[in-house]
Amino acid sequence: IELTRREGVPVFVYGGSYGTYWANRFGVLHPDAAAGLILDAPVVPGADLHRYDLAFETVGRHVFEEMCAAAPRCREHLGDDPGAFLQRVADALEAGHCGSLGVDFDTWRIVFSIFLMDYNLRNWLPALIYRLDRCSTADQAAIARLFGQLFGGGGGTGVPRMSRVLQTHICLSEFWPEGLADESEIERARAENLFFQDGIGHVYAAQASWPRYEPGPIADEYAPPTVPMLVMAGELDPAAPPADVGYGYRDNLTGPAQHFVEIPYGAHTVLTGAG
């Protein structure tokens, strides 16, 4: 910030998802360095992430049973009970329906969960289910083209943008219960849920033997009331459900320029995921 600061130009620090944890930490350490902080899909200090993956099913079912059922065009294609339509297609996929696409059922569950993370992709999810049910040659071509655009990569540097080792180290040390977390709920979801991203299975696998570090003394602190902050949480964020990992900001931000806003229909990150 100091190297690029220009007179008369305010500086704002933006953090999304896990980045909100660090944007808040920046405010704790350097409360006067920026004009304000923007936290998008907030993760509170001291959040417990061992139940990550469980909210995807709730949000996914809501998309079909509530949102699609209330949208005339969606209901026109999926019928008066879109939730039942979804379940029927899922059962068919598990039995091998539309297998020529080369996607197994566990991968479909991950794909469906990824669609819930983005506001626009979430809106396309009923159309994807409809095409999978019909599974014509044209449908398969459309799905393949969509997946090529979303997951095909290209244009990258080839340098990994994340480290599974570092993720496990931080998660177990700063976002995990002391001792061992009970895995039974996650195992049941892995076996039964239609929307399951399976984002923390590797953390559970390492929890018994991983050497954890002790978080620093300010790990659980919120930025002081003098720091202007805008915190935005998506109402339907399956990865960072506000009630689980976001409301701490709502309840602890007491400054006159500190605001917590919950966005109706919002997904994971409001600024990068809204259409």
Side-chain angles (χ1 to χ4, degrees):
I1 289 176
E2 294 308 317
L3 288 173
T4 60
R5 189 185 297 277
R6 288 183 293 164
E7 185 177 355
V9 179
V11 173
F12 294 90
V13 173
Y14 171 87
S17 192
Y18 174 55
T20 65
Y21 183 74
W22 288 106
N24 173 74
R25 178 72 60 85
F26 178 85
V28 171
L29 293 171
H30 307 286
D32 301 318
L37 310 178
I38 301 170
L39 277 57
D40 195 351
V43 177
V44 298
D48 184 344
L49 300 184
H50 84 280
R51 300 182 77 253
Y52 183 89
D53 280 320
L54 297 184
F56 286 87
E57 183 76 359
T58 302
V59 173
R61 295 291 181 175
H62 178 80
V63 167
F64 285 84
E65 295 170 3
E66 305 294 334
M67 297 174 68
C68 181
R73 188 175 182 188
C74 190
R75 194 172 63 249
E76 175 187 343
H77 288 80
L78 271 61
D80 291 334
D81 190 349
F85 188 102
L86 167 69
Q87 190 62 56
R88 179 177 61 78
V89 174
D91 292 342
L93 291 172
E94 190 169 16
H97 173 67
C98 212
S100 53
L101 283 171
V103 181
D104 62 36
F105 185 63
D106 285 341
T107 302
W108 279 124
R109 297 195 303 161
I110 295 173
V111 170
F112 297 158
S113 296
I114 291 173
F115 271 56
L116 295 179
M117 298 275 279
D118 181 89
Y119 180 91
N120 295 293
L121 291 179
R122 190 186 66 201
N123 287 343
W124 296 348
L125 190 52
L128 173 61
I129 294 297
Y130 181 80
R131 283 186 177 272
L132 283 172
D133 179 53
R134 192 169 57 185
C135 197
S136 68
T137 300
D139 291 322
Q140 294 182 52
I143 293 170
R145 181 178 178 84
L146 174 63
F147 282 18
Q149 294 291 325
L150 296 177
F151 310 122
T157 63
V159 177
R161 296 186 59 191
M162 68 165 288
S163 164
R164 182 63 61 88
V165 171
L166 184 59
Q167 180 192 42
T168 302
H169 196 39
I170 293 172
C171 194
L172 283 173
S173 300
E174 303 198 34
F175 299 110
W176 208 255
E178 292 186 17
L180 304 181
D182 183 0
E183 195 174 359
S184 59
E185 197 173 14
I186 291 292
E187 289 177 340
R188 185 164 56 251
R190 183 180 287 112
E192 300 174 358
N193 288 6
L194 175 55
F195 299 88
F196 189 75
Q197 196 183 53
D198 207 3
I200 58 169
H202 60 286
V203 183
Y204 273 100
Q207 67 172 341
S209 58
W210 196 273
R212 309 183 193 190
Y213 61 85
E214 186 68 27
I218 64 171
D220 292 336
E221 291 188 18
Y222 290 85
T226 56
V227 178
M229 294 177 66
L230 172 62
V231 183
M232 298 176 291
E235 180 186 54
L236 297 177
D237 184 346
D244 293 342
V245 298
Y247 282 168
Y249 286 109
R250 180 196 65 183
D251 299 337
N252 286 278
L253 298 179
T254 59
Q258 294 182 329
H259 306 283
F260 180 93
V261 182
E262 193 167 357
I263 308 298
Y265 306 108
H268 189 59
T269 66
V270 173
L271 293 184
T272 60

